[in-house]
């Protein structure tokens, strides 16, 4: 009787372990797909069905004094240095900012305030935090338009530090 009880308990323990670990077997792994993991938006330029360039976490942030600041990371997936044009527009088509960024092969360039980043001057406009603008990303003759959210600095991670005086 003891032997059969051990066998039954062992089988039950094995069944419970398999049931507990197998519940995610059919669930997709989130890291296999691009998704919006931040407040900004992502956009890609595809050339011949392959990623060529992109922008990650693009957002326009209004500082406490109302000054708009553009922040994003431009990505190059190609094997050569490329030029990427980034243009932010209102819904009416007015240009708020435009810049061209040289991105090294398989590299990134960070845009915005702070050390090691390229500052993009943003023009004055009748835009308020919470508005959704348009962002054009152009490279190799291809254009992608994505939405560009606007936020204020009430979120602590968007409070930019002043650059150190030299």
């Amino acid at each position: 009787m003891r032997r059969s009880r051990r066998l039954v308990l062992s089988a039950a323990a094995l069944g419970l372990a398999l049931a507990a670990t197998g519940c995610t077997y059919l669930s997709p792994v989130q890291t296999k797909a691009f998704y919006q993991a931040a407040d900004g938006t992502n956009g890609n330029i595809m050339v011949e069905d392959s990623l060529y360039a992109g922008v990650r976490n693009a957002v326009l942030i209004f500082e406490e004094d109302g000054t708009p600041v553009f922040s994003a990371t431009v990505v190059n997936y190609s094997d050569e240095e490329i030029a990427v044009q980034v243009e932010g527009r209102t819904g009416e088509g007015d240009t708020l900012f435009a810049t061209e960024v040289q991105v090294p092969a398989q590299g990134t360039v960070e845009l915005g305030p702070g050390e090691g980043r390229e500052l993009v001057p943003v023009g004055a406009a009748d835009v308020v935090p919470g508005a959704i603008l348009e962002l054009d990303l152009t490279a190799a003759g291809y254009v992608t338009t994505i939405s560009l959210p606007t936020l204020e600095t009430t979120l602590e991670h968007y409070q930019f530090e002043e650059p150190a005086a030299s």
Side-chain angles (χ1 to χ4, degrees), residues 37-121:
D39 297 320
T41 55
N42 299 334
N44 294 317
I45 292 182
M46 306 291 285
V47 174
E48 297 176 8
D49 294 326
S50 295
L51 276 174
Y52 182 74
V55 66
R56 301 290 173 258
N57 198 25
V59 64
L60 189 69
I61 302 157
F62 288 89
E63 294 180 326
E64 287 182 23
D65 65 356
T67 305
V69 176
F70 177 65
S71 178
T73 300
V74 182
V75 184
N76 177 1
Y77 293 100
S78 74
D79 292 328
E80 56 190 43
E81 181 176 303
I82 62 171
V84 178
Q85 293 83 29
V86 179
E87 179 182 2
R89 295 180 289 111
T90 64
E92 293 79 38
D94 298 328
T95 299
L96 294 173
F97 60 88
T99 189
E100 181 172 290
V101 181
Q102 294 296 323
V103 187
Q106 299 292 325
T108 62
V109 173
E110 293 185 25
L111 304 177
E115 189 175 328
R117 299 173 66 106
E118 291 186 23
L119 187 62
V120 177

Side-chain angles (χ1 to χ4, degrees), residues 24-49:
T24 60
Y25 178 72
L26 298 175
S27 298
V29 178
Q30 184 60 49
T31 56
K32 289 186 175 181
F34 284 114
Y35 66 101
Q36 300 298 135
D39 297 320
T41 55
N42 299 334
N44 294 317
I45 292 182
M46 306 291 285
V47 174
E48 297 176 8
D49 294 326

